[in-house]
């Protein structure tokens, strides 16, 4: 079945990090767009004279007439979004994907992301706290430098308000003054996620990172059923 086509209008853009931008769209003509946290859409555009569809994960939970995306615009294929003007209309199809929050959640929810792979993870965490009172939640987020920590204030506030939420940013190329965790997400997984009964893990990032994390969690005794994932090309 052909996926439905929708229209939305760009309302706001802001810098989420040194490399990424956050785009907020409003559905056109009073439309509503239903999706599950973790899913993605395909935006339709023209690149080099050809019509193309670019996939982007939705970066916030269901909000009726609003749609939020977080995109690494430092790459050539996605930089076209910077050319959009306020109130400009875009066309997209979707939603797509089976990367979704499990209902009900397990005793321990572990979210593992790198770069803009945090987009669907952010939506899932918002959904988790809207519907449930989780017992233990981990967000292990890997980026290169401190300036690349997307939604840092939001996650730090969540950790202050909810003691069961642990935010673990880790930098692979930290500046000298960084006092936090260093290295890759795999190192933090080995440190913090051992022996977690009832763990459900959600992993999003590059294909290599996703496969390495899946293999690591398996060596730590977690079944494939305990891990949901989405690869960002």
């Amino acid at each position: 079945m052909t996926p439905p086509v929708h229209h939305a209008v760009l309302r706001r853009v802001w810098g989420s990090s040194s490399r990424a931008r956050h785009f907020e769209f409003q559905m056109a003509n009073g439309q509503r767009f239903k999706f599950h946290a973790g899913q993605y859409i395909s935006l339709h555009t023209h690149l080099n004279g050809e019509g193309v569809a670019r996939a982007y994960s939705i970066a916030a939970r269901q909000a009726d007439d609003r749609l939020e995306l977080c995109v690494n615009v430092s790459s050539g294929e996605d930089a076209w979004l910077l050319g959009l003007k306020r109130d400009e209309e875009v066309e997209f199809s979707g939603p797509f994907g089976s990367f979704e929050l499990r209902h009900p959640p397990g005793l321990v929810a572990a979210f593992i992301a790198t770069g803009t792979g945090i987009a669907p993870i952010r939506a899932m965490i918002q959904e988790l706290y809207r519907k449930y009172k989780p017992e233990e939640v981990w967000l292990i987020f890997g980026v290169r430098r401190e300036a690349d920590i997307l939604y840092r204030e939001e996650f730090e506030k969540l950790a202050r308000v909810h003691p069961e939420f642990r935010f673990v940013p880790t930098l692979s190329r930290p500046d000298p003054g960084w006092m936090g965790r260093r290295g890759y997400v795999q190192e933090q997984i080995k440190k913090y996620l051992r022996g977690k009964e009832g763990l459900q893990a959600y992993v999003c990032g590059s294909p290599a990172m996703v496969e390495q994390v899946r293999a690591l969690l398996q060596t730590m005794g977690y079944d494939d059923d305990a891990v949901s994932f989405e690869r960002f090309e």
Side-chain angles (χ1 to χ4, degrees), residues 146 171 174-182:
E146 187 173 4
L171 308 188
D175 295 319
W178 173 250
M179 302 300 291
R181 301 163 185 87
R182 298 167 180 255

Side-chain angles (χ1 to χ4, degrees), residues 134-154:
E135 296 185 22
E136 184 176 345
V137 184
W138 292 85
L139 172 56
I140 299 176
F141 184 26
V143 293
R144 295 179 180 179
R145 296 181 173 85
E146 187 173 4
D148 297 323
I149 304 175
L150 296 156
Y151 309 114
R152 180 178 183 176
E153 292 184 2
E154 178 179 326

Side-chain angles (χ1 to χ4, degrees), residues 9-178:
V9 177
L10 180 64
R11 292 305 190 202
R12 193 160 64 112
V13 181
W14 69 92
S16 297
S17 76
S18 63
R19 296 158 56 86
R21 294 292 181 273
H22 189 99
F23 298 83
E24 182 177 326
F25 296 89
Q26 183 175 20
M27 298 299 295
N29 304 318
Q31 296 179 43
R32 293 292 184 267
F33 180 59
K34 299 297 183 182
F35 62 91
H36 298 291
Q39 291 187 300
Y40 67 92
I41 63 167
S42 287
L43 273 177
H44 305 165
T45 188
H46 285 82
L47 297 176
N48 300 319
E50 295 185 3
V52 297
R54 299 286 296 161
Y56 302 105
S57 287
I58 302 167
R61 66 174 177 82
Q62 183 72 55
D64 291 331
D65 67 338
R66 296 281 168 165
L67 184 69
E68 299 181 34
L69 308 177
C70 180
V71 182
N72 181 354
V73 293
S74 65
S75 65
E77 291 184 331
D78 294 321
W80 70 273
L81 283 163
L82 294 175
L84 293 177
K85 307 298 184 183
R86 180 182 171 86
D87 298 329
E88 184 172 347
E89 187 171 298
V90 297
E91 180 182 278
F92 70 93
S93 53
F96 303 104
S98 58
F99 186 53
E100 301 175 18
L101 188 70
R102 298 190 184 187
H103 300 282
L107 295 176
V108 181
F111 299 92
I112 303 151
T114 54
T116 50
I118 195 66
I121 295 294
R122 176 181 184 246
M124 286 179 167
I125 292 172
Q126 291 177 349
E127 183 76 358
L128 178 69
Y129 275 93
R130 186 177 75 89
K131 290 188 173 182
Y132 302 101
K133 294 182 179 180
E135 296 185 22
E136 184 176 345
V137 184
W138 292 85
L139 172 56
I140 299 176
F141 184 26
V143 293
R144 295 179 180 179
R145 296 181 173 85
E146 187 173 4
D148 297 323
I149 304 175
L150 296 156
Y151 309 114
R152 180 178 183 176
E153 292 184 2
E154 178 179 326
F155 294 133
E156 289 179 341
K157 179 180 179 180
L158 192 63
R160 290 194 301 270
V161 174
H162 297 279
E164 76 285 345
F165 180 79
R166 282 85 162 185
F167 178 39
V168 185
T170 182
L171 308 188
S172 61
R173 301 179 190 176
D175 295 319
W178 173 250

